[in-house]
Amino acid sequence: MKTVKLFNTLTRKQENFRPIEAGKVGIYTCGPTVYSYAHIGNMRAYIFADILSRMFTKAGFKVNHIMNITDVGHLVSDGDDGADKMEVAKQREGINAWKVAEKYTKEFFKDCEELHIKKPTTVCKATDHIDQQINMIKRLEEKGFTYTTSDGVYFDTEKFPEYGEMARLDIEGLEQGKRVDLGEKHNKTDFALWKFSPKDEKRDMEWEAPWGEGRKGFPGWHIECSAMSYEYLGKHFDVHTGGIDHIPVHHTNEIAQSECCHDTSPVVNYWLHSNFLNMGDAGKMSKSKGDVFTVSVLEKQGIAPLSYRYLCLTAHYRSEIQFSDEAIHGADKALRRLASQVERLSTITPEENLSDTAKAYETDFIKFITTDLNTAAGLAVMWKMLAAGNISKAEKLSLLKSFDDILAFDIMNLPAYFAKRANNNISEDFKNKVEALITDRKTAREEKDYAKSDAIRDKLVSLGVVIEDSSEGTTWRLK
Ligand code: AMP
Ligand code: ZN
């Protein structure tokens, strides 16, 4: 087991990671809200969670990674007011809320696949865990942490003196505005656990609950993550991830609900937060600000999804990334350079017994990644290793494959990945190259030089080419 160090938002310090159970790690990631396409800013949060999970596996841990899907509409603002996002999407698209959620969940996982984000161990939907959420609210009610208004059940943050500690919220400062627009809420920071459906409206997503005198309702946003993390990881688990915007409200509320419900503190040992992808002066990429890129918009502009993954890895997850044409094209160029280096190494058999010099590169790479996921330094080690004159090509190949456990570019297939994208069809250059290799292989076989013909076949495989021999000759296609 390797030593892992992580920056913990709870303490604002880098700490040595100590698992609750030796050799295992439980991770909960706040997943997407599926009422529209995820933009590449959103996807940064999941690339980060993916690297985290891969890092733990590489460090020798058994990873149990849980991610939720927020498929029940929560309200537009963190302050529990505004129109319900799912209902807005439903009006926009003319399909019911269940279909909206299904459509965008599918789109989300398509993007994940394109970005080589590994599927978590368990993906759980809020709508499949309504009972668990209701049970949790009941327990909070029994313990006196809630009150009911005309539109829902609220968590009374005044009953939890530690409220806002992680976010270092200035509650008194916030409370000075108490009289301004509290409505029926007792405190500015109180939040909805359960909302009643409006009396004159039939919602697609609504459930019976013990509150509201027969009125159906739906859960507030925060309760789903407390309920599902408890369901899959229990009342005390190792790591929780999300974007930094979740610190002041969503995660603050999750902590309040979970700690009060389970009498456990802390519920989560390490809170990890990833920073934003920004659009120049406009600040964070956001659906409400326009100028939003999705993976497929990038693709239409000729940018491979993995080039975006590369861009994310060039920055530390806790630093902002400024998105620009220059930045994304720079990343695209770098990844293509990597692909051509791989192509040059592709006919070589990786070396299993690494020299001490080669091992030092591996040690450095792992040290950077296990020290709060320093992917930028990890990439620098990779480039230095590729340029090194004192290790063999076979060692370089072996190291690349090992680094790819984290980088996840499917490194041996990178040449084919870019060749395929050259012009959506296959470029003439690539076609000529493949045809020439097939002719050379045929000649080698006629001359019974099987070592050579095998080596050529391996080269074709590394280019992503599948060959089929028959009595009529050899045909080929891309994998
Ligand atoms: P949502 O689907 O809106 O709940 O967002 C999903 C994730 O994306 C959350 O973890 C957010 O913190 C994160 N996020 C939203 N906007 C950005 C952005 N511009 N850059 C990076 N992460 C973001
Ligand atoms: Zn959450």
Side-chain angles (χ1 to χ4, degrees), residues 46 49-51 53-54 57 63 65 67 109 112-113 115-121 123 309 405 408:
Y46 306 109
D50 177 61
I51 297 283
S53 153
R54 289 175 189 272
T57 306
V63 177
H65 188 191
M67 186 178 76
F109 283 112
C112 285
E113 235 173 79
L115 293 167
H116 292 189
I117 296 170
K118 212 164 112 189
K119 214 160 191 181
T121 325
V123 174
R309 183 178 174 98
D405 292 341

Side-chain angles (χ1 to χ4, degrees), residues 119-399:
K119 214 160 191 181
T121 325
T122 300
V123 174
C124 42
K125 294 185 195 171
T127 51
D128 286 339
H129 298 79
I130 298 295
D131 285 350
Q132 289 87 335
Q133 295 177 68
I134 290 177
N135 287 339
M136 202 160 178
I137 302 169
K138 276 200 219 156
R139 277 195 75 184
L140 287 169
E141 190 177 36
E142 281 157 22
K143 293 175 149 204
F145 287 105
T146 69
Y147 60 90
T148 303
T149 69
S150 61
D151 76 345
V153 180
Y154 284 78
F155 185 96
D156 187 346
T157 53
E158 219 164 2
K159 300 264 170 70
F160 180 51
E162 293 81 16
Y163 185 82
E165 268 184 4
M166 178 174 77
R168 303 189 173 172
L169 293 183
D170 170 15
I171 306 293
E172 274 174 26
L174 286 171
E175 288 301 304
Q176 277 166 11
K178 198 167 173 171
R179 252 181 285 273
V180 184
D181 53 359
L182 271 187
E184 292 175 67
K185 284 199 329 189
H186 298 179
N187 305 286
K188 206 167 180 179
T189 44
D190 294 354
F191 55 92
L193 294 163
W194 189 262
K195 293 280 273 190
F196 307 139
S197 297
K199 280 191 177 120
D200 47 0
E201 199 184 298
K202 165 88 188 77
R203 291 169 55 95
D204 290 339
M205 288 180 170
E206 56 182 2
W207 295 266
E208 309 264 359
W211 312 282
E213 289 151 1
R215 264 159 84 189
K216 288 187 175 174
F218 53 98
W221 171 31
H222 318 293
I223 194 71
E224 67 175 82
C225 288
S226 286
M228 290 188 275
S229 61
Y230 176 62
E231 173 87 1
Y232 295 100
L233 296 169
K235 62 179 183 180
H236 183 206
F237 60 94
D238 298 299
V239 182
H240 196 310
T241 80
I244 49 166
D245 50 336
H246 286 343
I247 301 171
V249 180
H250 181 51
H251 290 168
T252 290
N253 293 349
E254 256 191 80
I255 291 173
Q257 295 163 152
S258 299
E259 295 201 358
C260 294
C261 183
H262 308 306
D263 289 323
T264 307
S265 183
V267 164
V268 178
N269 284 351
Y270 303 87
W271 284 87
L272 269 55
H273 293 99
S274 53
N275 211 324
F276 290 141
L277 180 78
N278 285 343
M279 294 294 289
D281 293 342
K284 89 166 189 173
M285 184 177 282
S286 143
K287 283 165 202 165
S288 55
K289 286 188 196 152
D291 235 8
V292 154
F293 289 86
T294 58
V295 169
S296 69
V297 167
L298 281 189
E299 283 202 272
K300 283 188 191 122
Q301 297 182 359
I303 303 290
L306 287 183
S307 301
Y308 178 63
R309 183 178 174 98
Y310 187 95
L311 175 66
C312 289
L313 303 195
T314 58
H316 194 275
Y317 75 89
R318 289 192 292 110
S319 307
E320 292 179 348
I321 294 180
Q322 289 298 341
F323 187 78
S324 64
D325 273 356
E326 208 182 344
I328 191 66
H329 282 106
D332 194 56
K333 212 165 132 195
L335 195 62
R336 284 172 193 272
R337 195 148 56 86
L338 180 59
S340 55
Q341 300 239 13
V342 170
E343 193 169 344
R344 260 176 263 142
L345 296 173
S346 62
T347 49
I348 293 166
T349 311
E351 175 62 63
E352 280 175 18
N353 297 312
L354 296 182
S355 62
D356 287 347
T357 319
K359 275 186 199 150
Y361 285 108
E362 169 114 65
T363 310
D364 276 359
F365 181 85
I366 292 180
K367 195 186 86 217
F368 283 125
I369 299 297
T370 51
T371 306
D372 202 29
L373 307 179
N374 195 344
T375 48
L379 283 176
V381 171
M382 178 193 78
W383 287 112
K384 197 168 147 206
M385 176 280 284
L386 284 170
N390 53 356
I391 58 171
S392 71
K393 287 182 175 172
E395 285 179 312
K396 289 183 182 179
L397 193 62
S398 171
L399 287 169

Side-chain angles (χ1 to χ4, degrees), residues 372-430:
D372 202 29
L373 307 179
N374 195 344
T375 48
L379 283 176
V381 171
M382 178 193 78
W383 287 112
K384 197 168 147 206
M385 176 280 284
L386 284 170
N390 53 356
I391 58 171
S392 71
K393 287 182 175 172
E395 285 179 312
K396 289 183 182 179
L397 193 62
S398 171
L399 287 169
L400 268 186
K401 285 186 163 184
S402 164
F403 297 176
D404 201 41
D405 292 341
I406 303 288
L407 306 174
F409 296 130
D410 189 8
I411 230 150
M412 296 316 294
N413 275 319
L414 266 187
Y417 178 76
F418 281 114
K420 253 193 230 177
R421 259 157 227 277
N423 54 19
N424 232 349
N425 296 314
I426 304 162
S427 74
E428 276 310 307
D429 269 3
F430 188 78

Side-chain angles (χ1 to χ4, degrees), residues 88-102:
V88 170
K90 175 187 141 176
Q91 302 297 336
R92 182 185 66 220
E93 310 211 0
I95 49 179
N96 79 29
W98 294 94
K99 290 272 178 235
V100 171
E102 194 186 317

